[in-house]
Amino acid sequence: MKPLIIALALVLAAPLPAHAHPWKPSDLRDLARQHGIRIGSAVDIAALRGEADYRKVLDREFSHVTAENAMKWESIEPDRGAYTWADADALVEHARRNDQRVRGHTLVWHNQLPAWLTSGVEDGTIDAAELRKILRDHITTEVRRYKGKIRAWDVVNEVVNDDGTMRQSIWLTHLGPGYIADAFRWAHRADPHAKLYINDYNLEWNAAKIETTLSIVKDLQAQGVPIHGAGFQGHLGIQYDYPGDWANVMRRFADLGLEIAVTELDVRMELPVTPEKLATQADYYRRALTDCLSVKVCREFTVWGFTDRHSWVPGWFPGQGAACLFDENLAPKPAYQALLGVTKA
Ligand code: XIL
């Protein structure tokens, strides 16, 4: 053999250092494929319809989508019995055409309920028996409509308080704690193949919430209720420490036989933006993906919007923003580059 060929053979045979990528992924879809997961984003339907550049980045980068608002109860049934599916349908159809899986968000929540429902419960015109029937019909109707088209549903969202007690929603108050088991059973009946999740925020680190949520899962499993996943919203901010125990928390849920998803990740900061803050943000995104990849059953890593042009953060956390992977002009931020550099743990 010629020396050059020998040298080449040696280079090719040398094991890659553990931290090196065999090749650098070209985008998040490519990265997700390499890691055997899906990377997703919440989608603003008005932007999806109206902004070609938004669509282009969404479809280039993401292989999973969640409707930011379009599948919530107030969106699909603003008047009793009069369903408005157009936005949710548009997203599901868009996903089908672009090889994106869909997370259904969300069936049972205390927020963004239609006014006819909350006022009816409040003034007593909807009693407990009727409320239970309304919830069953809601779950059955929505899940059945997208049967086979939704990979995973957030069946119950934010049912535990930060102090570990159960949230006093209209559901708990009027139906009792059994509403959670009922919701999972009804959803399962309507689409037996969809993965059914319990989803919450601060579940990344809050011990009281973690313990209560784990016991809800065990309790449901003991009753034979179909529950398949735990979703961590992951609304983080760089003014707080990164939740360093997150991977262990994921593992505790995985140990119960559940799959895991990061369902709504964003990393906000106090404005104005500085290069240092963007670097810290990049590190939080990198660590979140690394934590997910360290747990075998973490299947989905979804961000709550991909561009600072459309993010819920400025409207909900005054003085804060810039929480996403792309800036308002859709230029990738350091956080985006940090994700592309993540290798298997
Ligand atoms: C937010 C949306 O992003 C906003 O547009 C809307 O005004 C309020 O809800 N946890 C959830 C999401 O589960 O549904 C919330 O989405 C953010 C917090």
Side-chain angles (χ1 to χ4, degrees):
M1 262 202 277
K2 297 218 170 78
L4 185 65
I5 295 176
I6 294 171
L8 190 65
L10 285 173
V11 168
L12 290 176
L16 283 160
H19 61 271
H21 254 298
W23 62 87
K24 184 146 170 30
S26 53
D27 50 42
L28 297 180
R29 256 193 207 260
D30 192 23
L31 175 76
R33 205 178 303 119
Q34 286 183 22
H35 287 299
I37 64 164
R38 292 211 172 225
I39 297 183
S41 177
V43 176
D44 177 318
I45 310 296
L48 182 72
R49 285 214 171 92
E51 298 171 21
D53 57 347
Y54 178 97
R55 253 191 324 269
K56 191 170 147 205
V57 175
L58 176 72
D59 297 337
R60 185 185 70 216
E61 302 290 339
F62 297 97
S63 49
H64 215 289
V65 290
T66 306
E68 185 174 358
N69 290 300
M71 289 188 185
K72 292 171 182 173
W73 202 332
E74 71 170 8
S75 303
I76 60 150
E77 200 187 2
D79 297 306
R80 190 165 183 184
Y83 293 92
T84 46
W85 299 111
D87 286 355
D89 284 0
L91 180 67
V92 170
E93 175 56 18
H94 182 89
R96 192 188 59 77
R97 278 190 270 108
N98 291 281
D99 182 32
Q100 289 154 330
R101 300 288 174 272
V102 184
R103 168 166 295 269
H105 177 77
T106 174
L107 297 170
V108 189
W109 196 23
H110 60 283
N111 276 335
Q112 293 181 277
L113 294 169
W116 61 264
L117 178 61
T118 48
S119 60
V121 171
E122 202 162 309
D123 67 21
T125 52
I126 296 174
D127 66 13
E130 191 180 1
L131 184 64
R132 186 163 187 276
K133 185 180 170 313
I134 288 171
L135 182 62
R136 190 190 61 210
D137 289 348
H138 165 68
I139 291 174
T140 305
T141 305
E142 187 164 6
V143 175
R144 204 181 268 159
R145 182 171 186 90
Y146 299 115
K147 184 174 179 209
K149 297 176 177 170
I150 300 259
R151 188 190 73 82
W153 271 106
D154 293 330
V155 176
V156 294
N157 193 32
E158 306 178 351
V159 295
V160 181
N161 291 316
D162 277 325
D163 66 3
T165 58
M166 298 302 292
R167 187 185 293 278
Q168 294 290 319
S169 62
I170 60 168
W171 310 116
L172 183 66
T173 312
H174 296 270
L175 306 183
Y179 81 89
I180 296 179
D182 286 339
F184 278 92
R185 288 196 177 104
W186 292 328
H188 186 62
R189 211 166 296 153
D191 186 352
H193 294 298
K195 301 289 186 200
L196 304 182
Y197 272 66
I198 184 168
N199 191 51
D200 216 325
Y201 62 89
N202 291 353
L203 197 55
E204 303 83 35
W205 55 269
N206 180 320
K209 189 175 264 199
I210 292 163
E211 297 310 324
T212 300
T213 308
L214 283 166
S215 55
I216 291 172
V217 172
K218 285 186 214 159
D219 192 52
L220 292 172
Q221 291 176 327
Q223 297 174 65
V225 174
I227 176 167
H228 313 112
F232 295 80
Q233 291 187 4
H235 294 294
L236 309 181
I238 61 166
Q239 64 273 40
Y240 315 108
D241 286 343
Y242 180 82
D245 207 36
W246 193 358
N248 286 324
V249 180
M250 289 183 190
R251 232 165 272 125
R252 292 186 66 191
F253 283 90
D255 286 346
L256 296 179
L258 298 189
E259 61 167 65
I260 302 298
V262 176
T263 54
E264 306 183 12
L265 184 67
D266 50 17
V267 183
R268 60 188 186 269
M269 61 183 68
E270 306 273 359
L271 299 173
V273 173
T274 66
E276 293 73 31
K277 289 181 193 172
L278 290 177
T280 305
Q281 176 185 57
D283 200 47
Y284 281 37
Y285 270 99
R286 180 189 60 75
R287 292 180 72 176
L289 180 58
T290 305
D291 284 343
C292 164
L293 294 176
S294 77
V295 179
K296 222 162 136 202
V297 293
C298 185
R299 308 221 180 277
E300 175 199 333
F301 181 83
T302 288
V303 295
W304 204 242
F306 61 89
T307 165
D308 294 336
R309 189 192 292 173
H310 299 292
S311 164
W312 74 307
V313 169
W316 286 84
F317 303 92
Q320 300 180 48
C324 301
L325 295 170
F326 294 81
D327 72 12
E328 298 190 355
N329 300 314
L330 298 175
K333 293 160 65 181
Y336 174 85
Q337 303 299 348
L339 288 185
L340 286 192
V342 170
T343 53
K344 267 261 189 285

